[in-house]
Amino acid sequence: MKKTFKLLAIAAFALAFQTLSAQNKFIGSVKYNIEAAGKTQEVSLKIYEDNALFKTEGSHILIRGRKFYTAQDFSQYIGYLKSNDVWDSPYEGDGKILIKHELEQKDIDSLTIPCTEGFYFEYIDGETKEIAGWTAKKVRYHIFNDEGEDKGFEAWYTDEIGPEYDFIMLQGLRGLPLEFTITSEDGSKVSYRAIEIKKEKLKDTEFLLPAGFKELPEEELNGIIQAIQEGIELLNM
């Protein structure tokens, strides 16, 4: 009996390893449609095995396994506020800021524990559908407001490609989001849907951290963002 159990355990481990290996071997891109306020925008996410990269003007998000990096360029905002003499912050850098994060095991363990504040994921077994040619699985994202009300929503994801966890759209999701809709308190909606997933020849050098960005603690970044918001408010008075 013990021998049989051991063989079954080895077989299960081998199957899990094969699944993970397949997930980490995909190289290509995922194109999304984002719909909000009657307008549609297309954005692309690049994937190189267990790395993922999302770039917009002034922002660069890179996932490497369970680590992710956010590089943001606030130089134009800070320069503009300084030129108008409304910059009130002890920060004296050029505005090119890098923030590092790492998902620890205790954080992973907490992501599926039901709660009434913060958020957690409820993975739904047995429900799938096809999105952009890939089989998507269902998850319920529970997120609570200050009154403890669950304002969550359903999402569809794949765990066959990309990093083990998402840090770009639904942070902490065990896989890559393919479709979901977020509804704000005022009733406005933002919908994300993958419309194309294709293999491409990408170079691993495309997934390097951008040069010229200085690492700062996240608390200091929050202070800089607050100073920018306050400066803009003063200019609009």
Side-chain angles (χ1 to χ4, degrees):
M1 182 67 179
K2 289 183 178 179
K3 183 177 180 182
T4 302
F5 178 79
K6 183 177 181 182
L7 290 173
L8 289 173
I10 291 173
F13 175 79
L15 180 61
F17 179 77
Q18 290 171 4
T19 302
L20 182 60
S21 296
Q23 177 182 5
N24 289 340
K25 292 301 180 183
F26 179 87
I27 299 174
S29 64
V30 181
K31 184 183 292 184
Y32 291 88
N33 258 358
I34 302 177
E35 295 184 15
K39 297 182 179 180
T40 301
Q41 179 185 5
E42 287 188 2
V43 298
S44 290
L45 179 70
K46 292 185 177 181
I47 295 174
Y48 191 97
E49 298 180 351
D50 67 342
N51 298 318
L53 175 65
F54 179 71
K55 291 197 297 185
T56 61
E57 186 176 353
S59 180
H60 185 123
I61 303 174
L62 174 64
I63 302 176
R64 288 179 175 170
R66 293 186 179 184
K67 297 180 181 180
F68 68 105
Y69 307 82
T70 304
Q72 291 182 287
D73 187 354
F74 297 103
S75 57
Q76 291 186 344
Y77 291 102
I78 294 174
Y80 178 70
L81 295 176
K82 283 183 176 180
S83 66
N84 285 275
D85 199 29
V86 291
W87 177 246
D88 184 16
S89 171
Y91 175 72
E92 298 180 352
D94 62 2
K96 294 184 176 182
I97 299 168
L98 176 68
I99 305 296
K100 287 185 179 181
H101 310 265
E102 182 171 1
L103 194 63
E104 299 179 359
Q105 190 60 48
K106 61 180 178 63
D107 300 318
I108 294 172
D109 294 341
S110 71
L111 293 175
T112 55
I113 298 175
C115 58
T116 55
E117 60 181 19
F119 71 93
Y120 72 94
F121 294 99
E122 178 189 356
Y123 295 92
I124 311 298
D125 293 331
E127 293 192 47
T128 63
K129 70 175 182 177
E130 186 175 302
I131 299 176
W134 290 74
T135 299
K137 299 179 180 180
K138 189 176 182 180
V139 63
R140 176 78 186 174
Y141 180 58
H142 297 270
I143 184 167
F144 299 89
N145 62 16
D146 293 338
E147 287 73 40
E149 298 173 317
D150 188 348
K151 296 296 183 179
F153 50 86
E154 293 176 349
W156 296 88
Y157 71 100
T158 177
D159 54 10
E160 297 181 46
I161 62 175
E164 185 181 5
Y165 291 91
D166 174 50
F167 297 108
I168 297 175
M169 290 173 281
L170 296 179
Q171 292 195 6
L173 177 69
R174 191 176 60 219
L176 182 70
L178 296 182
E179 180 181 298
F180 61 95
T181 298
I182 300 174
T183 303
S184 301
E185 293 285 352
D186 62 3
S188 59
K189 295 183 178 182
V190 181
S191 297
Y192 297 75
R193 180 178 173 83
I195 57 173
E196 183 181 59
I197 302 175
K198 64 178 181 179
K199 293 182 179 180
E200 297 179 33
K201 291 183 178 179
L202 301 176
K203 296 180 179 179
D204 56 0
T205 52
E206 295 184 49
F207 294 79
L208 297 175
L209 292 170
F213 284 75
K214 184 178 179 181
E215 184 179 351
L216 288 180
E218 190 167 0
E219 295 76 14
E220 191 168 345
L221 171 63
N222 293 336
I224 293 169
I225 293 174
Q226 183 177 348
I228 291 173
Q229 292 172 338
E230 291 175 352
I232 293 173
E233 288 174 2
L234 285 173
L235 290 176
N236 290 332
M237 289 179 64

